[in-house]
Amino acid sequence: MRTDCGCGCGGDATRTSAFVRPRFFAGQLLTEDDLSLLVEYTTAKARLHNRSLYGPGVICGLGVTCDPCGGGTVAVHPGHALDCAGNDIVVPCTERVDVTALVRERRISALGVDWGEDCDNDGDDGGRRYGLYARYRELPVEPVAPYATEEPCPSPGCVPSRIQEGYQFVVKCDDFEDHRHNPGTRLLMTLGDLPRADQARTRDRRLGFYTDALTVASLGTGRAFRFDAADAQRYATALAWLRDNAGGEGPPAPPTAREMTEHVRALAAAVARYDTYDAAGQAQLARDYPDLATVREARSTLGTACRRLGGADLEAAWPDPLRAGIARAVVTETAARVVPERGDPDAPCEVRMLAQGTPLGHALRVDFRADLGLIREWLLCRLDQTIDLADCALRRDIAAVDVPPLLPSPPPDSTERATIAEVQQIAEAAAALGTAVRRFLTDAACATLNPPCGDSTDTDVLLAHLELDGCDVVRVCSATREQVLPGGSAYGEWLPKLYRLRELAERVCCRPVPRYQKPTLPSEGPVARPYADGLLGDWPRTGDLEEMLSLLLTPAPGETPPKALHEQVYTTPSEVTDSMQELARLRTQVADLTAAVEGLRAQLGSAQTQVSHLEERMPSRAPDPSGEPAPEPDQTPDQTPDQTPDQTPDQPPEQGAEQAAEPAKPPAKRTRASRTRKPGETP
């Protein structure tokens, strides 16, 4: 059973072919339909080849020059051009074109029609500008009288027996359509708004510095990080610089703040690695690297530097808010996790993140959650508007990513610790979305190597730009018109880039889908992790994919720039944003209440345990010597064995002793009806 789904579904095509040619055989009765079909077939094939292989533009000649006699005429020299429908426009000899008459015809034909642009007004320099175009035209010629036929309605009179291909000249507003195709245009159609795409890519770049570090920090919470010679050198260099520059009064200037923050990050990473070792390991490190004998001084120096940087304007030092957030985390986390004498043993994740040179503060975790949501939203939005998607599983994989919910902005310099589960969730989402971004960009770059077919309906071919002063043509410019190039005008701008693009495509396109490889930890011994160099510097985009994107989006000298896509960017309404923030605050409150309830449960369990111990210590009741059963004492469940019947738990021991010295009175027997009433109780 075949599913009727059109052409290319593995079965017979359900649509007729665009080209049908006649088939002749012996004894066939030929009619005008058969011969007309043959002509239409060959003509349509020739136009298709012209349109697809060469594209619109001037092939040769058709130069436009000033007329020797001056005035409002120009001379169009012989030449050959193709329009966007594939028609040949051939000018066999020099033509004198009356531009003033063509302008007058345009005015008459456009009477009562809004042109969209006032072409008759003088420009800033007093001239009027038009474009001179050649238009393909067919004229029926050589009429003949047909022979008598048996048709019920024969053609009256003579019928044209030939179609003469010709041309005509027209003038239009100087806003011609450029049919040349820049490959970057198609890439921009896939990426959408370029600043928004760059925003998502930059945030993905920052998360890329943290993905492996987050994974290792969450997996190896009980492991030490290897301290080697490079860490010792970094420790000595940063400590020497901070000794000389960390002191002083007032916040440092932005250049000094940048340099000081880098040295604080380097020294804090070395000390944090030292703190991951136990006492025996730290003693061994001190023997291997004598500079570590100054760890206490290093902590004090870091505290001084953090206090100075706390008053610095980090936004001025790092205008990029992404880097400013990392710099702020360097100061906050160093002061909280490294400066204390024994570090912060209750924050294993934060200390291990600092040991890798990638500080993870409360504010940065909030930013990471927002970044993950922004990247996922951008990817899904672009996939909804992309028609050339070749990675068929990409949408499903992005939708399956578990992005952590947003959190409200924390108070300044918050040092709230992260949980292992939170760090793992951020690491997994960052790894999945980072892979998805690379897959999407690869798919978009590779799709540009499939040029689209032209679909323009304007069949006029620009010959020259004309400038008129009154009724006279004062300037002719033919330099910027479209030219038919080898391989087609639509692809002509690919020629300088084509070979390099193909070379890059062999290494980038048609490869297996990239997968995130988690860093592996050794079974025993310290974990070897590199220091994150360049975290606060420039983030260069390197690699074959980035070179391919840059080659497509950067115009070469003389190349037409890619046409940016102007699309409406939908922003989240403020009501929705406020609701999301309120929901995040409620989630935080619920988490706090849950923790409080757990604490109360623990206290209740402790109280129940104490009551059980007291019941076990209470002596058994002795019988009365008179043989009568002992009366029930007025003893509450909370009364201890050392208390007298008339002593309450809150009564001091001395008062209970005085009451015990008085003669004991036999307790009155109580019944349900004779229950004593409390003061103020009504009968």
Side-chain angles (χ1 to χ4, degrees):
M1 179 178 180
R2 182 177 61 86
T3 303
D4 187 9
C5 57
C7 299
C9 295
D12 297 332
T14 58
R15 299 177 183 177
T16 57
S17 173
F19 296 97
V20 179
R21 64 178 183 269
R23 177 178 179 274
F24 305 109
F25 54 90
Q28 179 183 5
L29 176 62
L30 296 179
T31 64
E32 69 274 13
D33 293 336
D34 300 306
L35 299 178
S36 298
L37 180 60
L38 178 60
V39 173
E40 292 172 359
Y41 173 79
T42 55
T43 303
K45 277 286 189 178
R47 289 173 176 168
L48 174 64
H49 292 163
N50 290 340
R51 183 170 62 248
S52 300
L53 296 180
Y54 308 112
V58 176
I59 299 176
C60 62
L62 293 179
V64 181
T65 59
C66 300
D67 188 76
C69 298
T73 61
V74 294
V76 179
H77 298 274
H80 181 198
L82 296 175
D83 66 10
C84 63
N87 296 307
D88 292 280
I89 301 176
V90 180
V91 178
C93 58
T94 302
E95 296 273 3
R96 294 184 65 228
V97 180
D98 189 345
V99 178
T100 306
L102 293 178
V103 172
R104 188 179 303 111
E105 290 180 8
R106 180 169 181 81
R107 290 176 180 172
I108 295 174
S109 62
L111 215 63
V113 178
D114 185 8
W115 291 5
E117 181 180 350
D118 189 359
C119 298
D120 293 330
N121 292 337
D122 291 343
D124 296 337
D125 53 356
R128 291 176 291 146
R129 294 180 175 84
Y130 297 94
L132 177 62
Y133 294 80
R135 178 180 297 174
Y136 175 78
R137 185 176 62 172
E138 293 182 348
L139 295 176
V141 295
E142 298 185 19
V144 296
Y147 288 99
T149 62
E150 297 180 356
E151 294 291 336
C153 298
S155 301
C158 297
V159 179
S161 61
R162 302 287 186 270
I163 298 294
Q164 180 179 348
E165 296 183 350
Y167 56 88
Q168 68 179 107
F169 299 107
V170 295
V171 294
K172 297 192 296 186
C173 298
D174 196 10
D175 56 353
F176 77 101
E177 180 182 0
D178 193 343
H179 297 90
R180 290 176 293 180
H181 173 71
N182 190 301
T185 300
R186 185 165 185 175
L187 180 61
L188 289 177
M189 291 178 61
T190 304
L191 297 181
D193 183 62
L194 202 55
R196 192 179 182 194
D198 189 67
Q199 183 185 32
R201 294 181 61 197
T202 305
R203 279 157 173 74
D204 172 68
R205 179 65 172 158
R206 181 171 72 167
L207 285 169
F209 282 100
Y210 276 81
T211 302
D212 286 350
L214 289 168
T215 303
V216 173
S218 61
L219 294 178
T221 54
R223 306 284 296 278
F225 279 19
R226 178 179 297 172
F227 192 100
D228 54 18
D231 299 305
Q233 178 64 36
R234 192 161 42 249
Y235 173 90
T237 302
L239 180 58
W241 191 95
L242 291 175
R243 281 172 179 166
D244 299 334
N245 301 276
E249 297 181 358
T256 306
R258 285 196 297 269
E259 190 173 3
M260 185 180 296
T261 305
E262 284 285 9
H263 286 291
V264 166
R265 186 171 71 95
L267 183 58
V271 176
R273 290 185 182 234
Y274 173 83
D275 288 343
T276 60
Y277 284 80
D278 56 13
Q282 292 178 356
Q284 182 62 41
L285 287 178
R287 289 191 293 270
D288 295 339
Y289 304 103
D291 290 338
L292 290 179
T294 59
V295 167
R296 180 173 297 180
E297 178 190 356
R299 297 184 194 274
S300 176
T301 304
L302 284 173
T304 303
C306 289
R307 284 190 292 273
R308 284 199 67 193
L309 289 174
D313 188 358
L314 297 182
E315 284 73 15
W318 283 278
D320 181 10
L322 301 185
R323 293 173 177 83
I326 297 177
R328 194 174 294 106
V330 169
V331 178
T332 303
E333 290 300 299
T334 299
R337 317 301 178 192
V338 176
V339 172
E341 181 63 30
R342 298 185 180 277
D344 189 358
D346 296 330
C349 282
E350 284 79 0
V351 172
R352 281 160 175 76
M353 291 298 295
L354 266 177
Q356 301 173 79
T358 51
L360 182 66
H362 187 193
L364 207 55
R365 298 201 312 272
V366 174
D367 290 345
F368 284 171
R369 289 169 177 257
D371 293 347
L372 291 170
L374 184 146
I375 295 171
R376 185 174 185 269
E377 179 184 359
W378 175 73
L379 285 172
L380 292 177
C381 178
R382 296 318 312 160
L383 290 176
D384 288 340
Q385 303 183 37
T386 300
I387 59 175
D388 299 326
L389 184 65
D391 193 340
C392 305
L394 181 57
R395 183 191 301 273
R396 179 198 62 200
D397 294 343
I398 295 174
V401 177
D402 182 18
V403 175
L406 298 176
L407 290 179
S409 299
D413 299 332
S414 172
T415 57
E416 179 181 328
R417 295 189 294 268
T419 63
I420 300 297
E422 179 186 8
V423 173
Q424 288 179 345
Q425 187 180 20
I426 294 176
E428 292 173 358
L433 289 179
T435 303
V437 169
R438 289 189 293 275
R439 289 169 60 182
F440 174 74
L441 294 177
T442 300
D443 192 73
C446 296
T448 61
L449 300 182
N450 301 318
C453 291
D455 56 357
S456 175
T457 58
D458 185 3
T459 58
D460 297 337
V461 178
L462 177 69
L463 301 182
H465 303 278
L466 306 178
E467 183 178 341
L468 277 69
D469 184 7
C471 294
D472 297 335
V473 177
V474 296
R475 183 172 176 79
V476 178
C477 179
S478 304
T480 58
R481 66 184 182 180
E482 293 177 334
Q483 297 287 146
V484 175
L485 302 175
S489 63
Y491 316 140
E493 294 191 346
W494 292 49
L495 295 180
K497 303 178 177 180
L498 187 58
Y499 297 108
R500 182 57 180 164
L501 285 174
R502 289 294 181 185
E503 179 185 356
L504 293 171
E506 290 180 359
R507 300 198 295 264
V508 173
C509 307
C510 302
R511 297 291 182 180
V513 175
R515 302 293 181 186
Y516 174 70
Q517 300 292 335
K518 282 187 177 182
T520 57
L521 303 183
S523 58
E524 58 183 12
V527 178
R529 284 294 300 161
Y531 176 77
D533 287 319
L535 182 63
L536 292 173
D538 295 332
W539 298 340
R541 295 172 176 173
T542 58
D544 292 336
L545 176 59
E546 293 297 339
E547 183 181 354
M548 194 173 183
L549 294 173
S550 177
L551 190 61
L552 290 168
L553 293 177
T554 304
E559 179 184 344
T560 58
K563 298 177 182 178
L565 178 66
H566 300 285
E567 64 176 7
Q568 183 178 2
V569 179
Y570 296 94
T571 58
T572 305
S574 59
E575 295 82 359
V576 177
T577 305
D578 296 341
S579 300
M580 294 175 66
Q581 293 178 354
E582 182 65 24
L583 180 61
R585 286 192 290 269
L586 290 175
R587 285 176 174 168
T588 304
Q589 294 176 4
V590 169
D592 295 340
L593 291 175
T594 302
V597 170
E598 293 295 333
L600 291 176
R601 286 179 178 174
Q603 294 178 5
L604 180 60
S606 177
Q608 290 176 347
T609 303
Q610 294 178 4
V611 169
S612 300
H613 286 238
L614 290 176
E615 291 177 350
E616 293 176 357
R617 293 171 54 189
M618 186 177 299
S620 59
R621 190 174 301 147
D624 191 3
S626 61
E628 295 181 359
E632 294 289 340
D634 295 337
Q635 182 175 328
T636 60
D638 295 333
Q639 179 178 333
T640 61
D642 298 332
Q643 294 173 341
T644 61
D646 296 330
Q647 181 181 352
T648 60
D650 298 332
Q651 186 176 359
E654 295 80 1
Q655 183 178 356
E658 293 176 358
Q659 294 180 358
E662 297 179 358
K665 298 179 180 180
K669 296 184 179 180
R670 294 180 181 178
T671 62
R672 294 182 179 271
S674 63
R675 180 179 61 87
T676 59
R677 299 186 180 92
K678 296 180 180 179
E681 184 178 1
T682 57

